[in-house]
Amino acid sequence: MDYKENLIISAQKDRFRELIEGLNVITYEFDLTLFRFTYISRMAESILGYPVEEWFIKGFWFNHLHEDDKKWASDFSRYNISSSRDHEFEYRMTAVDGSVKWFKDIVSISYENGAARSLYGVLIDMTERKLVEKELLESKERYKTLVEQQSEMITRWKPDGTFTYVNDVYCNFFGKSRKELIGKRYIPQMPVEDLERFSKFFSSLNKNNPVGHFTHRIIKNDGEVRWLRWTDTAIFDENGNISEYQTVGRDITARKRAEVALKESEQQLQMIFDNAPIGMALTDLDKNFLKVNKAYCDIVGYSKNELLAMTFEDITHPDDLNIENEVINHSIKGSGTNFHFEKRYIHKNGKTVYVELRLNVLRDSAGKPYQQIAQVVDITDRIESEQKLKQSQARLAAVLNNLPNVAIYEFGDDMNFVSENIMDILGYSADEFMDDKMLFSKLMLPEDIEVYDKNVIDWKKNGSKGVLSSTFRIYNSKKEIIWLEDHMFEVSPENGKPYFSGIMIDITEQKKTELKIQETETKLSAILKHLPKVVIYQSGLGHDFISGNIAEMIGYTPEEILKSKYFFGNIIHPDDIPAVKEAISVWNRKNTDETLNLEFRVMKKTGEYIWIEDHMFRVKVNENKSYLSGILIDITARKQAEDKISQSLREKELLLKEIHHRVKNNLQVVSSLLKLQSGYVKDENSLDVLIDSQNRVRSMALVHQKLYQSKDFSEIDLSEYIKQLCDHLITVFKTSADNIKITVRSENMNLSIDYAIPCGLILNELISNSLKYAFPDGKKGEIIIELNKNSEGIYIISLSDNGIGFPKNIDYRNTKSLGLQLVNTLVGQIDGNIILENNTGTKYTITFPPQKQL
């Protein structure tokens, strides 16, 4: 292939290079000063599997070249760049799954101040074509050595066809020796039509036309057809007669095939242009449309013939005309080749259409712009959704800002928000907190911020799992101390950086109530101190305590008694020790909440024995921790002491019930706000998110409702809880009871709040998923929930449905779904395990160990 032919083919390829950006090829921009990609089309991830962000890493191209291609491909590229030559070459790259992809890289160099600045290129996936051409390449390889050593065949022969000279290339090509050819006639086998042209061509050579070019086909012995191109020169004798012909020829089969392939490629590219899923338009610098595809016509509402008689200014929104003019000015000045911006069109029906537009300027060999190719995506729906979302957020902010005693906040690299009602709680405006991110820390009491910071650090080290709940004190603008309850959690959006969000609740009044209770207990302790016949004690978990009046009872001070862990064991009468030990041993084995009542004798400091009655019981801090407390009384004061203790217990129960009630009410307020907000959301995805959030809050509120309505404030009946949760979810998702039947099979299973809330949230997510996705198009089905414990005391919760089953291509343990992320996090929170069976329908089995007891 000669230099001129190369230029023609290269120019044709350059013309179509820009047309395929954004389609089933990879288009890119490579910065030669940064040595990395600065733009890569979206097909990069689809073809090779690497996220677009990885392409921007320095050295990505070289690092992912096939090992056999790294050196020559990089050397070839550097050589052409240093020679200021646009170029194209084929090489292999390794995909993310380890497979090898063949690419044809068509590269154009962009210059700035006379120096090569950037590379613009198109990577065409040649993998399938390479496989098809494998046999052809193997055939070409047989002739590679001959082509490299000598690419031209040279002969001299007389007018009668007798050879006077042939070179090795000719002999090798036709499989003849010089001895077989010199002095003899030899015409290779040709198609009949080429043979006729052959004779006419040589008859046309004369003194006025001594040199000519002739192209023909030959049929080799193995039947292969090859194309040859000859430069034939007639040599004349002194009489002006042709004495000899000299011919120089070469095999141009590859070029002919390339021309055919190029023609096919042009047809394919034209088809791609016409049928591209995004709008594409080719315009000149006078803004006239030269070519448009169907997708572009659909975006603006005009037919192809209508657009070809218009300019793009005719359909551009008046306020955006300056954008296009600015781009054209930059193109003419040579200050830009690729542009990316958003603009508005005026549709044929008069409505405004928002589009995202990528504009590439086509330049001739002198660098002068002559055309523009635009790739257009209709983003009207996205823009309108963003506007609706802003309106929705404004309404939600108005609601949140009017919640009493509750403030919402968000913070992170790209997030900084505090609801305006923080002013009602602390007397500082939301702007003050957002302008000074350290203001909140400055207002916290020093002893509280130290504890809070440590808890946050530990929480983040553990992956910011679950909700971090804290209670601390802070000064308001009047220097008054305010108690806040803070619930913080991490939010991980799909297309953004993680940030933290939370709710702060003013619990100052609650704390004041607790202080009044403490004052009451202090007063009670003072009273007991002066009652010589009643002694109170506590033991364990740092609660070691015995009232001061023990000195009046047995003569020993509290300090003397608390020095020794087994002090009372040393002063109990020897005859009473066996019975006391046996009673305590049986009580511990039963591990019940019952009070252990003992009567035994102890020796006073004076040496005399007195009878005391010991009422020992466990005080549970939570489901897993407890300490011992008790009352020592003499027989005569027993009733009076019991009455006072009962009153104290009733006060504590009332406080606990009030706390559960208030938490339930606060959660119900949040649930109602989410429900109110959902009425204003039109976007289905946003509506689903709000409904899911409402259901999660509702499931937690239901736990606290069960607690304050029950006689035992530490546990709830999980079976009854699930039945109410199912009734609520069926109502929310408007599922007919006739279509989907929910069956709950349960043993008696009571759980503490620490287990009930995670289990409630897990079941809420799994039941919601079954109701939403398992039975599409009104399909009937059944959801079965089973609760039981095995012989080892392991809790087992299973939820199954006979629906369409869980998608096979989704890993339920590693998914972007917030609901399934929450399920996995909560299962880990209770030290449990979750298994998915996806045979007939979907079945989740969750196991977790029994609640720890002290």
Side-chain angles (χ1 to χ4, degrees):
M1 188 181 299
D2 60 24
Y3 179 72
K4 182 177 180 182
E5 292 164 344
N6 252 328
L7 284 178
I8 294 172
I9 294 175
S10 177
Q12 290 173 327
K13 290 181 179 178
D14 287 344
R15 180 179 180 185
F16 287 94
R17 176 174 60 85
E18 295 292 344
L19 294 177
I20 60 177
E21 201 286 326
L23 303 176
N24 196 24
V25 297
I26 302 172
T27 58
Y28 65 85
E29 179 182 5
F30 188 95
D31 193 310
L32 293 173
T33 59
L34 300 177
F35 295 101
R36 66 174 181 83
F37 291 102
T38 53
Y39 168 75
I40 196 77
S41 67
R42 63 179 179 275
M43 289 305 298
E45 182 171 355
S46 175
I47 294 175
L48 279 175
Y50 299 104
V52 171
E53 294 80 6
E54 288 190 30
W55 287 74
F56 299 142
I57 299 173
K58 185 176 181 180
F60 177 89
W61 179 75
F62 181 84
N63 293 336
H64 292 84
L65 283 174
H66 189 281
E67 288 299 323
D68 295 342
D69 295 345
K70 279 187 175 180
K71 185 176 188 308
W72 77 262
S74 56
D75 290 344
F76 180 86
S77 178
R78 282 194 294 268
Y79 172 77
N80 282 281
I81 294 170
S82 63
S83 302
S84 300
R85 291 194 302 206
D86 292 346
H87 53 282
E88 61 182 72
F89 55 123
E90 296 177 4
Y91 53 81
R92 292 162 291 180
M93 293 186 74
T94 304
V96 71
D97 60 2
S99 62
V100 175
K101 298 284 187 179
W102 273 96
F103 288 99
K104 183 171 187 177
D105 195 354
I106 303 174
V107 185
S108 176
I109 305 174
S110 174
Y111 300 90
E112 186 175 296
N113 297 326
R117 178 64 176 81
S118 302
L119 302 181
Y120 293 93
V122 178
L123 288 174
I124 303 175
D125 188 353
M126 303 282 289
T127 306
E128 292 185 5
R129 183 171 174 181
K130 281 291 181 180
L131 294 175
V132 175
E133 293 179 346
K134 182 178 179 181
E135 184 177 351
L136 176 62
L137 292 174
E138 291 174 350
S139 176
K140 288 181 178 180
E141 194 65 24
R142 293 196 296 268
Y143 303 97
K144 183 177 180 181
T145 303
L146 294 175
V147 173
E148 289 176 347
Q149 291 179 349
Q150 175 68 325
S151 61
E152 296 180 334
M153 296 175 283
I154 303 173
T155 69
R156 290 174 70 94
W157 46 281
K158 295 179 180 179
D160 63 0
T162 303
F163 282 107
T164 59
Y165 171 79
V166 292
N167 68 350
D168 288 341
V169 177
Y170 187 92
C171 293
N172 292 335
F173 183 82
F174 288 104
K176 302 286 184 179
S177 66
R178 279 194 173 92
K179 184 176 180 181
E180 292 177 289
L181 295 173
I182 301 298
K184 298 181 177 62
R185 296 178 63 190
Y186 173 71
I187 299 176
Q189 185 179 356
M190 300 183 198
V192 176
E193 58 270 26
D194 288 7
L195 191 60
E196 293 176 353
R197 290 191 303 105
F198 180 81
S199 299
K200 291 179 181 180
F201 169 74
F202 280 101
S203 298
S204 67
L205 296 179
N206 51 50
K207 273 195 172 183
N208 297 324
N209 183 35
V211 179
H213 300 284
F214 182 69
T215 302
H216 67 90
R217 294 164 292 174
I218 61 102
I219 303 173
K220 303 196 72 176
N221 293 334
D222 59 3
E224 182 186 11
V225 176
R226 307 289 295 181
W227 283 89
L228 302 180
R229 180 171 178 80
W230 298 88
T231 300
D232 301 289
T233 304
I235 302 173
F236 299 90
D237 59 18
E238 57 188 9
N239 297 319
N241 299 316
I242 298 176
S243 61
E244 202 170 20
Y245 294 98
Q246 177 173 296
T247 62
V248 178
R250 60 183 178 277
D251 184 354
I252 62 167
T253 306
R255 193 194 80 185
K256 281 290 185 179
R257 290 175 179 171
E259 289 173 350
V260 172
L262 179 60
K263 184 176 180 180
E264 293 174 352
S265 177
E266 289 175 350
Q267 293 172 347
Q268 183 182 16
L269 291 175
Q270 183 63 48
M271 185 179 298
I272 291 173
F273 180 90
D274 291 337
N275 297 284
I278 63 172
M280 298 188 72
L282 187 67
T283 64
D284 59 23
L285 296 186
D286 292 325
K287 308 175 184 178
N288 298 304
F289 286 107
L290 303 177
K291 185 184 293 187
V292 293
N293 68 351
K294 182 179 181 301
Y296 190 91
C297 295
D298 292 341
I299 291 173
V300 298
Y302 291 94
S303 68
K304 185 178 295 187
N305 290 334
E306 287 175 324
L307 288 173
L308 294 179
M310 302 168 69
T311 69
F312 58 74
E313 275 192 343
D314 296 333
I315 60 173
T316 298
H317 192 284
D319 295 341
D320 293 344
L321 288 174
N322 61 316
I323 299 176
E324 298 282 4
N325 292 330
E326 204 172 309
V327 168
I328 291 178
N329 289 336
H330 282 300
S331 302
I332 295 173
K333 294 177 181 178
S335 57
T337 300
N338 301 291
F339 304 91
H340 181 200
F341 53 90
E342 294 180 2
K343 62 173 287 186
R344 291 165 291 179
Y345 285 135
I346 301 299
H347 193 274
K348 186 177 181 179
N349 63 13
K351 72 175 184 179
T352 299
V353 179
Y354 292 85
V355 298
E356 179 182 2
L357 192 146
R358 290 184 180 276
L359 190 68
N360 298 294
V361 179
L362 305 181
R363 300 181 184 275
D364 58 22
S365 57
K368 183 179 179 181
Y370 64 94
Q371 288 177 352
Q372 300 176 121
I373 182 167
Q375 300 170 48
V376 181
V377 178
D378 187 346
I379 60 171
T380 304
D381 290 343
R382 190 197 80 192
I383 295 296
E384 291 177 350
S385 295
E386 289 174 353
Q387 292 172 347
K388 291 177 181 178
L389 179 60
K390 289 179 181 178
Q391 295 171 358
S392 177
Q393 289 174 335
R395 289 194 295 268
L396 179 59
V399 174
L400 292 176
N401 289 332
N402 289 281
L403 279 177
N405 301 328
V406 178
I408 310 295
Y409 64 87
E410 296 174 336
F411 69 92
D413 291 342
D414 300 325
M415 189 68 63
N416 185 20
F417 168 76
V418 180
S419 58
E420 294 179 3
N421 52 353
I422 192 69
M423 183 75 176
D424 299 330
I425 298 174
L426 297 178
Y428 293 95
S429 68
D431 289 338
E432 289 179 280
F433 283 103
M434 288 187 283
D435 291 340
D436 184 0
K437 293 183 178 180
M438 297 302 296
L439 178 58
F440 203 87
S441 298
K442 295 173 185 177
L443 297 174
M444 287 180 66
L445 272 67
E447 54 270 32
D448 288 4
I449 195 170
E450 183 177 346
V451 176
Y452 176 79
D453 286 346
K454 182 180 183 304
N455 291 338
V456 171
I457 291 171
D458 294 341
W459 179 62
K460 289 183 177 179
K461 283 182 179 178
N462 293 324
S464 304
K465 296 179 180 178
V467 177
L468 176 63
S469 298
S470 308
T471 302
F472 49 81
R473 294 165 295 173
I474 189 169
Y475 290 108
N476 64 12
S477 60
K478 298 178 181 179
K479 302 304 179 183
E480 298 169 335
I481 292 178
I482 303 297
W483 280 90
L484 293 180
E485 182 177 283
D486 179 44
H487 303 279
M488 180 169 64
F489 54 91
E490 185 178 40
V491 180
S492 300
E494 291 186 12
N495 299 315
K497 295 181 180 179
Y499 63 91
F500 297 98
S501 183
I503 301 173
M504 290 185 294
I505 305 171
D506 183 355
I507 59 169
T508 306
E509 292 302 319
Q510 176 184 325
K511 281 295 182 179
K512 288 180 179 179
T513 302
E514 292 176 358
L515 289 174
K516 289 180 180 179
I517 293 173
Q518 290 178 1
E519 290 176 7
T520 301
E521 290 180 345
T522 302
K523 292 177 182 178
L524 178 60
S525 177
I527 293 172
L528 291 173
K529 182 178 180 181
H530 295 88
L531 291 175
K533 295 183 179 181
V534 179
V535 173
I536 296 177
Y537 68 89
Q538 294 177 343
S539 177
L541 296 181
H543 292 276
D544 294 342
F545 165 78
I546 191 164
S547 58
N549 56 351
I550 188 66
E552 297 180 24
M553 180 179 286
I554 61 174
Y556 293 97
T557 65
E559 290 77 15
E560 291 175 304
I561 295 171
L562 296 176
K563 282 181 182 179
S564 174
K565 184 175 182 181
Y566 304 104
F567 180 84
F568 274 92
N570 295 326
I571 64 172
I572 294 177
H573 194 285
D575 294 342
D576 296 339
I577 289 177
V580 170
K581 285 186 175 181
E582 177 63 20
I584 293 175
S585 178
V586 171
W587 186 62
N588 285 332
R589 284 199 301 272
K590 290 182 178 180
N591 194 26
T592 65
D593 294 333
E594 297 176 357
T595 300
L596 176 62
N597 297 317
L598 298 172
E599 291 184 3
F600 51 87
R601 290 163 292 174
V602 297
M603 186 174 65
K604 297 175 63 174
K605 196 171 186 178
T606 59
E608 63 179 306
Y609 284 94
I610 64 168
W611 281 94
I612 63 173
E613 187 177 78
D614 183 5
H615 299 271
M616 184 187 305
F617 55 91
R618 293 184 180 89
V619 178
K620 286 190 175 182
V621 177
N622 52 47
E623 191 62 28
N624 302 315
K625 294 181 179 181
S626 63
Y627 59 89
L628 297 178
S629 186
I631 302 171
L632 302 176
I633 59 175
D634 65 17
I635 299 303
T636 58
R638 180 174 57 196
K639 290 295 181 180
Q640 182 181 2
E642 288 177 348
D643 291 341
K644 292 181 178 179
I645 292 172
S646 296
Q647 178 63 28
S648 175
L649 289 175
R650 283 194 295 272
E651 291 175 351
K652 291 179 179 178
E653 288 176 354
L654 180 61
L655 174 60
L656 186 57
K657 183 173 183 178
E658 177 61 18
I659 290 172
H660 283 305
H661 196 182
R662 290 195 62 178
V663 172
K664 176 257 180 184
N665 287 345
N666 285 338
L667 290 172
Q668 191 61 47
V669 168
V670 176
S671 177
S672 298
L673 289 172
L674 292 172
K675 182 177 181 181
L676 177 63
Q677 181 60 35
S678 66
Y680 294 93
V681 175
K682 304 301 181 183
D683 181 71
E684 289 295 328
N685 291 332
S686 300
L687 182 59
D688 287 344
V689 171
L690 286 175
I691 291 175
D692 288 344
S693 299
Q694 180 187 352
N695 290 339
R696 292 168 188 146
V697 173
R698 170 65 179 167
S699 70
M700 292 189 288
L702 189 56
V703 171
H704 288 282
Q705 178 180 330
K706 282 289 185 183
L707 284 170
Y708 84 74
Q709 289 177 346
S710 67
K711 293 181 180 180
D712 184 355
F713 298 111
S714 62
E715 295 182 334
I716 67 168
D717 183 344
L718 189 60
S719 176
E720 288 298 317
Y721 168 81
I722 291 174
K723 290 177 182 177
Q724 291 191 26
L725 179 62
C726 291
D727 291 342
H728 167 72
L729 291 176
I730 286 178
T731 301
V732 169
F733 293 106
K734 298 179 177 60
T735 302
S736 171
D738 295 331
N739 287 344
I740 300 176
K741 178 183 178 183
I742 299 181
T743 303
V744 180
R745 301 170 184 166
S746 171
E747 298 179 359
N748 291 331
M749 186 181 291
N750 293 329
L751 294 179
S752 72
I753 186 172
D754 292 332
Y755 277 58
I757 288 180
C759 288
L761 286 170
I762 291 169
L763 287 169
N764 174 75
E765 295 300 325
L766 298 182
I767 295 170
S768 297
N769 282 348
S770 290
L771 290 173
K772 288 194 290 185
Y773 307 118
F775 310 103
D777 303 322
K779 179 182 177 184
K780 290 188 176 183
E782 183 178 14
I783 300 172
I784 299 175
I785 304 168
E786 296 180 291
L787 313 172
N788 53 69
K789 285 198 296 186
N790 64 16
S791 58
E792 298 177 358
I794 299 298
Y795 291 90
I796 303 173
I797 301 177
S798 69
L799 185 146
S800 61
D801 63 57
N802 57 355
I804 62 174
F806 194 87
K808 300 290 186 183
N809 60 340
I810 297 178
D811 182 0
Y812 73 100
R813 294 184 183 274
N814 184 17
T815 175
K816 294 181 179 179
S817 166
L818 176 61
L820 287 178
Q821 288 180 11
L822 182 61
V823 168
N824 284 291
T825 299
L826 293 171
V827 169
Q829 183 176 315
I830 59 176
D831 298 324
N833 185 41
I834 181 168
I835 298 174
L836 169 65
E837 299 176 42
N838 198 16
N839 299 322
T840 56
T842 302
K843 181 178 181 181
Y844 290 94
T845 302
I846 301 163
T847 58
F848 55 95
Q851 305 166 76
K852 297 179 181 179
Q853 302 273 344
L854 283 182

